[in-house]
Coordinates of all heavy atoms in Angstrom, one line a residue:
P185 N -46.2 -7.6 -10.4 CA -46.2 -8.2 -11.8 C -45.0 -9.2 -11.9 O -44.0 -9.0 -11.2 CB -46.0 -7.0 -12.7 CG -45.5 -5.9 -11.8 CD -46.0 -6.2 -10.4
S186 N -45.1 -10.2 -12.7 CA -44.0 -11.1 -13.0 C -42.9 -10.4 -13.7 O -43.1 -9.4 -14.4 CB -44.5 -12.3 -13.7 OG -44.7 -12.0 -15.1
S187 N -41.7 -11.0 -13.6 CA -40.5 -10.4 -14.3 C -40.7 -10.3 -15.8 O -40.2 -9.5 -16.5 CB -39.2 -11.1 -14.0 OG -39.3 -12.4 -14.4
S188 N -41.5 -11.3 -16.4 CA -41.7 -11.3 -17.8 C -42.6 -10.1 -18.3 O -42.6 -9.8 -19.5 CB -42.3 -12.6 -18.3 OG -43.6 -12.8 -17.7
T189 N -43.4 -9.5 -17.4 CA -44.2 -8.4 -17.8 C -43.6 -7.0 -17.5 O -44.2 -6.0 -17.9 CB -45.6 -8.5 -17.1 OG1 -45.4 -8.4 -15.7 CG2 -46.3 -9.8 -17.4
L190 N -42.5 -7.0 -16.9 CA -41.8 -5.7 -16.6 C -41.1 -5.2 -17.8 O -40.6 -5.9 -18.7 CB -40.8 -5.9 -15.4 CG -41.4 -6.3 -14.1 CD1 -40.2 -6.6 -13.1 CD2 -42.3 -5.3 -13.6
A191 N -41.0 -3.9 -17.9 CA -40.3 -3.3 -19.0 C -38.8 -3.7 -19.0 O -38.2 -3.8 -17.9 CB -40.4 -1.7 -18.9
P192 N -38.2 -3.9 -20.1 CA -36.8 -4.4 -20.2 C -35.9 -3.4 -19.5 O -35.0 -3.8 -18.8 CB -36.5 -4.4 -21.7 CG -37.9 -4.7 -22.3 CD -38.8 -3.9 -21.5
D193 N -36.2 -2.1 -19.6 CA -35.3 -1.1 -19.0 C -35.4 -1.2 -17.5 O -34.4 -1.0 -16.8 CB -35.7 0.3 -19.4 CG -35.4 0.6 -20.8 OD1 -34.5 -0.1 -21.4 OD2 -36.0 1.6 -21.4
F194 N -36.5 -1.5 -16.9 CA -36.6 -1.7 -15.5 C -35.8 -2.9 -15.0 O -35.1 -2.8 -14.0 CB -38.1 -1.9 -15.0 CG -38.2 -2.2 -13.6 CD1 -38.2 -1.2 -12.7 CD2 -38.4 -3.5 -13.2 CE1 -38.3 -1.5 -11.3 CE2 -38.5 -3.8 -11.8 CZ -38.4 -2.8 -10.9
C195 N -35.9 -4.0 -15.8 CA -35.1 -5.2 -15.4 C -33.6 -4.9 -15.5 O -32.9 -5.3 -14.6 CB -35.5 -6.4 -16.3 SG -37.2 -6.9 -16.1
A196 N -33.2 -4.3 -16.5 CA -31.8 -3.9 -16.7 C -31.3 -3.0 -15.6 O -30.3 -3.2 -15.0 CB -31.5 -3.3 -18.0
A197 N -32.2 -2.0 -15.2 CA -31.8 -1.1 -14.2 C -31.7 -1.8 -12.8 O -30.8 -1.5 -12.0 CB -32.8 0.0 -14.1
A198 N -32.6 -2.7 -12.6 CA -32.5 -3.5 -11.3 C -31.2 -4.3 -11.3 O -30.7 -4.5 -10.2 CB -33.7 -4.3 -11.2
F199 N -30.8 -4.9 -12.4 CA -29.7 -5.8 -12.4 C -28.4 -5.0 -12.4 O -27.4 -5.3 -11.7 CB -29.7 -6.8 -13.5 CG -28.6 -7.7 -13.6 CD1 -28.6 -8.8 -12.7 CD2 -27.5 -7.6 -14.4 CE1 -27.5 -9.7 -12.7 CE2 -26.5 -8.4 -14.4 CZ -26.4 -9.5 -13.5
F200 N -28.3 -4.0 -13.3 CA -27.1 -3.2 -13.4 C -27.2 -1.9 -12.6 O -27.6 -0.9 -13.1 CB -26.9 -2.9 -14.9 CG -26.5 -4.1 -15.7 CD1 -27.3 -4.6 -16.6 CD2 -25.2 -4.6 -15.5 CE1 -27.0 -5.7 -17.3 CE2 -24.8 -5.7 -16.2 CZ -25.7 -6.3 -17.2
S201 N -26.8 -2.0 -11.3 CA -26.8 -0.9 -10.4 C -25.8 0.1 -10.9 O -25.0 -0.2 -11.8 CB -26.5 -1.3 -9.0 OG -25.1 -1.8 -9.0
A202 N -25.9 1.3 -10.4 CA -24.9 2.4 -10.8 C -23.5 2.0 -10.6 O -22.6 2.2 -11.4 CB -25.2 3.7 -10.1
E203 N -23.3 1.3 -9.5 CA -21.9 0.8 -9.2 C -21.5 -0.2 -10.2 O -20.3 -0.2 -10.7 CB -21.9 0.2 -7.8 CG -20.5 -0.4 -7.4 CD -20.5 -1.0 -6.0 OE1 -21.2 -0.5 -5.1 OE2 -19.9 -2.0 -5.8
R204 N -22.3 -1.1 -10.5 CA -22.0 -2.2 -11.5 C -21.8 -1.6 -12.9 O -20.9 -2.0 -13.6 CB -23.1 -3.2 -11.6 CG -22.8 -4.4 -12.5 CD -23.8 -5.5 -12.4 NE -23.4 -6.3 -11.3 CZ -24.0 -7.5 -11.0 NH1 -25.0 -7.9 -11.8 NH2 -23.6 -8.2 -10.0
R205 N -22.6 -0.6 -13.3 CA -22.4 0.1 -14.6 C -21.1 0.8 -14.6 O -20.4 0.8 -15.7 CB -23.6 1.1 -14.8 CG -24.8 0.4 -15.3 CD -25.9 1.4 -15.8 NE -26.3 2.4 -14.8 CZ -27.3 2.2 -14.0 NH1 -27.9 1.1 -14.0 NH2 -27.6 3.1 -13.1
T206 N -20.7 1.5 -13.5 CA -19.4 2.2 -13.5 C -18.3 1.2 -13.7 O -17.4 1.4 -14.5 CB -19.3 2.9 -12.2 OG1 -20.3 3.9 -12.0 CG2 -17.9 3.6 -12.1
W207 N -18.3 0.1 -13.0 CA -17.3 -0.9 -13.2 C -17.3 -1.5 -14.6 O -16.2 -1.7 -15.2 CB -17.5 -2.1 -12.1 CG -16.5 -3.1 -12.2 CD1 -15.3 -3.2 -11.6 CD2 -16.6 -4.3 -13.0 NE1 -14.6 -4.3 -12.0 CE2 -15.4 -5.0 -12.8 CE3 -17.5 -4.8 -13.9 CZ2 -15.1 -6.2 -13.5 CZ3 -17.3 -6.0 -14.5 CH2 -16.1 -6.7 -14.3
S208 N -18.5 -1.8 -15.1 CA -18.6 -2.4 -16.5 C -18.0 -1.4 -17.5 O -17.3 -1.9 -18.5 CB -20.0 -2.7 -16.8 OG -20.5 -3.7 -15.9
C209 N -18.3 -0.1 -17.4 CA -17.8 0.9 -18.3 C -16.2 0.9 -18.3 O -15.6 1.0 -19.3 CB -18.3 2.2 -18.1 SG -20.1 2.4 -18.6
A210 N -15.7 0.9 -17.1 CA -14.2 1.0 -16.9 C -13.6 -0.3 -17.5 O -12.6 -0.3 -18.2 CB -13.9 1.1 -15.4
R211 N -14.2 -1.4 -17.2 CA -13.8 -2.7 -17.8 C -13.8 -2.7 -19.3 O -12.8 -3.1 -20.0 CB -14.7 -3.8 -17.3 CG -14.3 -5.2 -17.8 CD -15.4 -6.2 -17.4 NE -15.1 -7.5 -17.9 CZ -15.4 -8.0 -19.1 NH1 -16.0 -7.2 -19.9 NH2 -15.1 -9.2 -19.5
Q212 N -14.9 -2.2 -19.9 CA -15.0 -2.2 -21.3 C -13.9 -1.2 -22.0 O -13.3 -1.5 -23.0 CB -16.4 -1.7 -21.8 CG -16.6 -1.9 -23.2 CD -16.5 -3.3 -23.7 OE1 -16.9 -4.3 -23.0 NE2 -15.9 -3.5 -24.9
Q213 N -13.7 -0.1 -21.3 CA -12.7 0.8 -21.8 C -11.3 0.2 -21.8 O -10.5 0.4 -22.7 CB -12.7 2.1 -21.0 CG -13.9 3.0 -21.3 CD -13.9 4.2 -20.4 OE1 -13.3 4.3 -19.3 NE2 -14.7 5.2 -20.9
A214 N -11.0 -0.5 -20.7 CA -9.7 -1.2 -20.6 C -9.6 -2.2 -21.8 O -8.5 -2.3 -22.4 CB -9.5 -1.9 -19.3
I215 N -10.6 -3.0 -22.0 CA -10.6 -4.0 -23.1 C -10.4 -3.3 -24.4 O -9.6 -3.8 -25.3 CB -11.9 -4.8 -23.1 CG1 -11.9 -5.7 -21.8 CG2 -12.0 -5.7 -24.3 CD1 -13.2 -6.4 -21.6
E216 N -11.1 -2.2 -24.7 CA -11.0 -1.6 -26.0 C -9.6 -1.0 -26.3 O -9.3 -0.8 -27.4 CB -12.1 -0.5 -26.1 CG -13.5 -1.0 -26.2 CD -14.5 0.1 -26.1 OE1 -14.2 1.3 -26.0 OE2 -15.7 -0.3 -26.2
T217 N -8.9 -0.7 -25.3 CA -7.5 -0.1 -25.5 C -6.4 -1.1 -25.5 O -5.2 -0.7 -25.7 CB -7.3 1.0 -24.4 OG1 -7.3 0.4 -23.1 CG2 -8.3 2.1 -24.5
D218 N -6.6 -2.4 -25.2 CA -5.6 -3.3 -25.1 C -5.9 -4.5 -26.0 O -6.8 -5.3 -25.7 CB -5.4 -3.8 -23.6 CG -4.2 -4.7 -23.4 OD1 -3.8 -5.4 -24.3 OD2 -3.7 -4.6 -22.3
P219 N -5.1 -4.7 -27.1 CA -5.3 -5.9 -27.9 C -5.3 -7.2 -27.2 O -6.0 -8.1 -27.6 CB -4.2 -5.8 -29.0 CG -3.8 -4.3 -29.0 CD -4.0 -3.9 -27.6
A220 N -4.4 -7.4 -26.2 CA -4.4 -8.7 -25.5 C -5.7 -8.9 -24.8 O -6.2 -10.0 -24.7 CB -3.2 -8.7 -24.6
L221 N -6.2 -7.8 -24.2 CA -7.5 -8.0 -23.5 C -8.6 -8.2 -24.5 O -9.6 -9.0 -24.1 CB -7.8 -6.8 -22.6 CG -6.9 -6.6 -21.4 CD1 -7.3 -5.3 -20.7 CD2 -7.0 -7.8 -20.5
Q222 N -8.6 -7.6 -25.6 CA -9.6 -7.9 -26.7 C -9.6 -9.4 -27.1 O -10.6 -10.0 -27.2 CB -9.3 -7.0 -27.9 CG -9.6 -5.5 -27.6 CD -9.1 -4.7 -28.8 OE1 -8.9 -5.2 -29.9 NE2 -9.0 -3.4 -28.6
E223 N -8.4 -9.9 -27.3 CA -8.3 -11.3 -27.6 C -8.8 -12.2 -26.5 O -9.5 -13.2 -26.8 CB -6.8 -11.7 -27.9 CG -6.6 -13.1 -28.3 CD -5.2 -13.4 -28.7 OE1 -4.3 -12.5 -28.6 OE2 -4.9 -14.6 -29.0
R224 N -8.5 -11.9 -25.3 CA -8.9 -12.6 -24.1 C -10.5 -12.6 -24.0 O -11.1 -13.6 -23.8 CB -8.3 -12.1 -22.8 CG -8.7 -12.9 -21.6 CD -7.9 -12.4 -20.4 NE -8.2 -13.2 -19.3 CZ -8.9 -12.7 -18.2 NH1 -9.3 -11.5 -18.2 NH2 -9.1 -13.5 -17.2
E225 N -11.0 -11.4 -24.3 CA -12.5 -11.3 -24.2 C -13.1 -12.1 -25.3 O -14.2 -12.8 -25.1 CB -12.9 -9.8 -24.3 CG -14.3 -9.5 -24.2 CD -14.9 -9.7 -22.8 OE1 -14.2 -10.0 -21.9 OE2 -16.1 -9.4 -22.7
L226 N -12.6 -12.1 -26.5 CA -13.1 -12.9 -27.6 C -13.1 -14.4 -27.3 O -14.0 -15.2 -27.6 CB -12.4 -12.6 -28.9 CG -12.7 -11.2 -29.5 CD1 -11.8 -11.0 -30.7 CD2 -14.2 -11.1 -29.9
L227 N -12.0 -14.8 -26.7 CA -11.8 -16.2 -26.3 C -12.9 -16.6 -25.2 O -13.5 -17.7 -25.3 CB -10.4 -16.5 -25.8 CG -9.3 -16.5 -26.9 CD1 -7.9 -16.6 -26.2 CD2 -9.5 -17.7 -27.8
K228 N -13.1 -15.7 -24.2 CA -14.1 -16.0 -23.2 C -15.5 -16.1 -23.8 O -16.3 -17.0 -23.4 CB -14.0 -14.9 -22.1 CG -12.8 -15.0 -21.2 CD -12.6 -13.8 -20.3 CE -13.7 -13.3 -19.6 NZ -13.4 -12.2 -18.7
L229 N -15.8 -15.2 -24.7 CA -17.1 -15.2 -25.3 C -17.3 -16.4 -26.2 O -18.4 -17.0 -26.2 CB -17.3 -13.9 -26.1 CG -17.5 -12.6 -25.3 CD1 -17.5 -11.4 -26.2 CD2 -18.7 -12.7 -24.4
A230 N -16.2 -16.9 -26.9 CA -16.3 -18.1 -27.7 C -16.6 -19.3 -26.8 O -17.4 -20.2 -27.2 CB -15.0 -18.2 -28.5
A231 N -15.9 -19.3 -25.7 CA -16.1 -20.5 -24.8 C -17.5 -20.5 -24.2 O -18.1 -21.5 -24.1 CB -15.1 -20.4 -23.6
L232 N -18.0 -19.3 -23.9 CA -19.4 -19.2 -23.4 C -20.4 -19.6 -24.5 O -21.3 -20.3 -24.2 CB -19.6 -17.8 -22.9 CG -21.0 -17.5 -22.2 CD1 -21.1 -18.4 -21.0 CD2 -21.0 -16.0 -21.8
S233 N -20.1 -19.2 -25.7 CA -21.0 -19.6 -26.8 C -21.0 -21.1 -27.0 O -22.0 -21.8 -27.2 CB -20.6 -18.9 -28.1 OG -21.4 -19.3 -29.1
S234 N -19.8 -21.7 -26.9 CA -19.7 -23.2 -27.0 C -20.4 -23.9 -25.9 O -21.1 -24.9 -26.2 CB -18.2 -23.5 -27.0 OG -18.0 -24.9 -27.1
T235 N -20.3 -23.4 -24.7 CA -21.0 -24.0 -23.6 C -22.5 -23.9 -23.7 O -23.2 -24.9 -23.4 CB -20.5 -23.3 -22.2 OG1 -19.1 -23.5 -22.1 CG2 -21.2 -23.9 -21.0
L236 N -23.0 -22.8 -24.2 CA -24.4 -22.6 -24.4 C -24.9 -23.5 -25.5 O -25.9 -24.2 -25.3 CB -24.7 -21.1 -24.7 CG -26.2 -20.8 -25.0 CD1 -27.1 -21.2 -23.9 CD2 -26.3 -19.3 -25.4
A237 N -24.2 -23.6 -26.6 CA -24.5 -24.5 -27.6 C -24.6 -26.0 -27.2 O -25.5 -26.7 -27.5 CB -23.6 -24.4 -28.8
D238 N -23.6 -26.4 -26.4 CA -23.6 -27.7 -25.8 C -24.8 -28.0 -24.9 O -25.4 -29.1 -25.0 CB -22.3 -28.0 -25.0 CG -21.1 -28.1 -25.9 OD1 -21.2 -28.3 -27.1 OD2 -19.9 -28.0 -25.3
A239 N -25.2 -27.0 -24.1 CA -26.3 -27.2 -23.2 C -27.6 -27.3 -24.1 O -28.5 -28.1 -23.7 CB -26.4 -26.0 -22.3
L240 N -27.7 -26.6 -25.2 CA -28.9 -26.7 -26.0 C -28.9 -28.0 -26.7 O -30.0 -28.7 -26.8 CB -28.9 -25.6 -27.1 CG -29.1 -24.2 -26.5 CD1 -28.8 -23.1 -27.6 CD2 -30.5 -24.0 -26.0
R241 N -27.8 -28.5 -27.1 CA -27.7 -29.8 -27.8 C -28.1 -30.9 -26.8 O -28.8 -31.9 -27.2 CB -26.3 -30.1 -28.3 CG -26.0 -29.4 -29.5 CD -24.6 -29.7 -30.1 NE -24.1 -28.7 -31.0 CZ -23.2 -27.7 -30.7 NH1 -22.7 -27.7 -29.5 NH2 -22.9 -26.8 -31.6
E242 N -27.7 -30.8 -25.5 CA -28.1 -31.8 -24.5 C -29.6 -31.8 -24.3 O -30.1 -32.8 -23.8 CB -27.4 -31.5 -23.2 CG -25.9 -31.8 -23.2 CD -25.2 -31.3 -21.9 OE1 -25.9 -30.9 -20.9 OE2 -24.0 -31.4 -21.9
R243 N -30.3 -30.7 -24.6 CA -31.7 -30.6 -24.5 C -32.4 -31.0 -25.8 O -33.6 -30.7 -25.9 CB -32.1 -29.2 -24.0 CG -31.7 -29.0 -22.6 CD -31.7 -27.6 -22.2 NE -31.4 -27.4 -20.8 CZ -30.2 -27.5 -20.2 NH1 -29.1 -27.8 -21.0 NH2 -30.0 -27.2 -19.0
G244 N -31.7 -31.6 -26.7 CA -32.3 -32.1 -27.9 C -32.4 -31.1 -29.1 O -33.0 -31.4 -30.1
I245 N -31.7 -30.0 -29.0 CA -31.7 -29.0 -30.1 C -30.6 -29.5 -31.1 O -29.5 -30.0 -30.7 CB -31.4 -27.6 -29.7 CG1 -32.4 -27.2 -28.6 CG2 -31.3 -26.6 -30.8 CD1 -33.8 -27.1 -29.0
G246 N -30.8 -29.5 -32.4 CA -29.9 -29.9 -33.4 C -28.6 -29.1 -33.4 O -28.6 -27.9 -32.9
D247 N -27.5 -29.6 -34.0 CA -26.2 -28.9 -34.0 C -26.3 -27.5 -34.6 O -25.9 -26.5 -34.0 CB -25.2 -29.7 -34.8 CG -24.6 -30.8 -34.0 OD1 -24.7 -30.8 -32.8 OD2 -23.9 -31.7 -34.7
L248 N -26.9 -27.4 -35.8 CA -26.9 -26.1 -36.4 C -27.8 -25.1 -35.7 O -27.3 -24.0 -35.4 CB -27.4 -26.2 -37.9 CG -27.4 -24.9 -38.7 CD1 -26.0 -24.3 -38.7 CD2 -28.0 -25.1 -40.1
P249 N -29.0 -25.4 -35.3 CA -29.8 -24.4 -34.5 C -29.2 -24.1 -33.2 O -29.2 -22.9 -32.7 CB -31.2 -25.1 -34.3 CG -31.2 -26.2 -35.3 CD -29.8 -26.6 -35.6
A250 N -28.6 -25.0 -32.5 CA -27.9 -24.8 -31.2 C -26.8 -23.8 -31.4 O -26.6 -22.9 -30.6 CB -27.4 -26.1 -30.6
G251 N -26.0 -24.0 -32.4 CA -24.8 -23.1 -32.7 C -25.3 -21.7 -33.0 O -24.7 -20.7 -32.6
L252 N -26.3 -21.7 -33.9 CA -26.8 -20.4 -34.3 C -27.4 -19.6 -33.1 O -27.2 -18.4 -33.0 CB -27.8 -20.5 -35.4 CG -27.3 -20.9 -36.8 CD1 -28.4 -21.2 -37.7 CD2 -26.4 -19.8 -37.4
C253 N -28.2 -20.3 -32.3 CA -28.8 -19.7 -31.2 C -27.8 -19.2 -30.2 O -27.9 -18.1 -29.7 CB -29.7 -20.7 -30.5 SG -30.7 -20.0 -29.1
A254 N -26.8 -20.0 -29.9 CA -25.7 -19.6 -29.0 C -24.9 -18.4 -29.5 O -24.7 -17.4 -28.8 CB -24.8 -20.8 -28.8
D255 N -24.6 -18.4 -30.8 CA -23.9 -17.3 -31.4 C -24.7 -16.0 -31.3 O -24.2 -14.9 -31.0 CB -23.4 -17.6 -32.8 CG -22.3 -18.6 -32.9 OD1 -21.6 -18.8 -31.8 OD2 -22.1 -19.1 -34.0
A256 N -26.0 -16.1 -31.7 CA -26.9 -15.0 -31.6 C -27.0 -14.4 -30.2 O -27.0 -13.2 -30.0 CB -28.3 -15.3 -32.2
A257 N -27.2 -15.3 -29.3 CA -27.3 -14.9 -27.9 C -26.1 -14.1 -27.4 O -26.2 -13.1 -26.7 CB -27.6 -16.1 -27.0
L258 N -24.9 -14.6 -27.8 CA -23.7 -14.0 -27.3 C -23.5 -12.6 -28.1 O -22.9 -11.7 -27.5 CB -22.5 -14.9 -27.5 CG -22.1 -15.7 -26.3 CD1 -21.5 -14.8 -25.2 CD2 -23.2 -16.6 -25.8
S259 N -23.9 -12.6 -29.3 CA -23.8 -11.3 -30.0 C -24.7 -10.2 -29.3 O -24.3 -9.1 -29.1 CB -24.3 -11.5 -31.5 OG -23.4 -12.2 -32.2
V260 N -25.9 -10.6 -29.0 CA -26.8 -9.7 -28.3 C -26.2 -9.3 -26.9 O -26.2 -8.1 -26.6 CB -28.2 -10.4 -28.1 CG1 -29.1 -9.5 -27.1 CG2 -28.9 -10.5 -29.4
F261 N -25.7 -10.3 -26.2 CA -25.1 -10.0 -24.9 C -23.9 -9.0 -25.1 O -23.8 -8.0 -24.3 CB -24.5 -11.3 -24.3 CG -23.8 -11.1 -23.0 CD1 -24.4 -10.8 -21.8 CD2 -22.4 -11.1 -23.1 CE1 -23.6 -10.6 -20.7 CE2 -21.6 -10.8 -21.9 CZ -22.3 -10.6 -20.7
R262 N -23.0 -9.2 -26.0 CA -21.9 -8.4 -26.2 C -22.3 -7.0 -26.6 O -21.8 -6.0 -26.0 CB -21.0 -9.0 -27.4 CG -19.7 -8.2 -27.6 CD -18.9 -8.8 -28.7 NE -19.6 -9.2 -29.9 CZ -19.9 -8.3 -30.8 NH1 -19.6 -7.0 -30.7 NH2 -20.6 -8.7 -31.9
I263 N -23.3 -6.8 -27.5 CA -23.7 -5.5 -27.9 C -24.4 -4.8 -26.7 O -24.2 -3.6 -26.4 CB -24.7 -5.6 -29.1 CG1 -23.9 -6.0 -30.3 CG2 -25.4 -4.3 -29.3 CD1 -24.8 -6.5 -31.5
A264 N -25.2 -5.5 -26.0 CA -25.9 -4.9 -24.8 C -24.9 -4.5 -23.7 O -25.1 -3.5 -23.1 CB -26.9 -5.9 -24.2
F265 N -23.9 -5.3 -23.5 CA -22.9 -5.0 -22.5 C -22.2 -3.7 -22.8 O -21.9 -2.9 -21.9 CB -22.0 -6.2 -22.3 CG -21.1 -6.1 -21.1 CD1 -21.6 -6.6 -19.9 CD2 -19.9 -5.5 -21.1 CE1 -20.9 -6.5 -18.7 CE2 -19.1 -5.4 -20.0 CZ -19.6 -5.9 -18.8
V266 N -21.8 -3.6 -24.1 CA -21.1 -2.4 -24.5 C -21.9 -1.1 -24.3 O -21.4 -0.1 -23.9 CB -20.6 -2.5 -26.0 CG1 -20.1 -1.2 -26.5 CG2 -19.6 -3.6 -26.1
R267 N -23.2 -1.3 -24.5 CA -24.1 -0.1 -24.4 C -24.4 0.2 -22.9 O -24.7 1.2 -22.5 CB -25.5 -0.4 -25.1 CG -25.3 -0.4 -26.6 CD -26.6 -0.6 -27.2 NE -26.4 -0.5 -28.7 CZ -27.3 -0.4 -29.5 NH1 -28.6 -0.4 -29.1 NH2 -27.1 -0.3 -30.8

């Protein structure tokens, strides 16, 4: 089956191996306990959102929809990563 027909949990499990999940959890715990790391993480996510919005604009998406889409995508990513 194509990747678009696979269950989301299967795709996530294939991408996030047990080793990667362990590292991600440790990373997230470190960020949650250190205000400087929290600030750094927010700056990185803001830069990623900006880059995504720019890429969408280059493909003809208007400013407002591109910004909203990028912010929404990063919000979903951030929430999924924490889980």
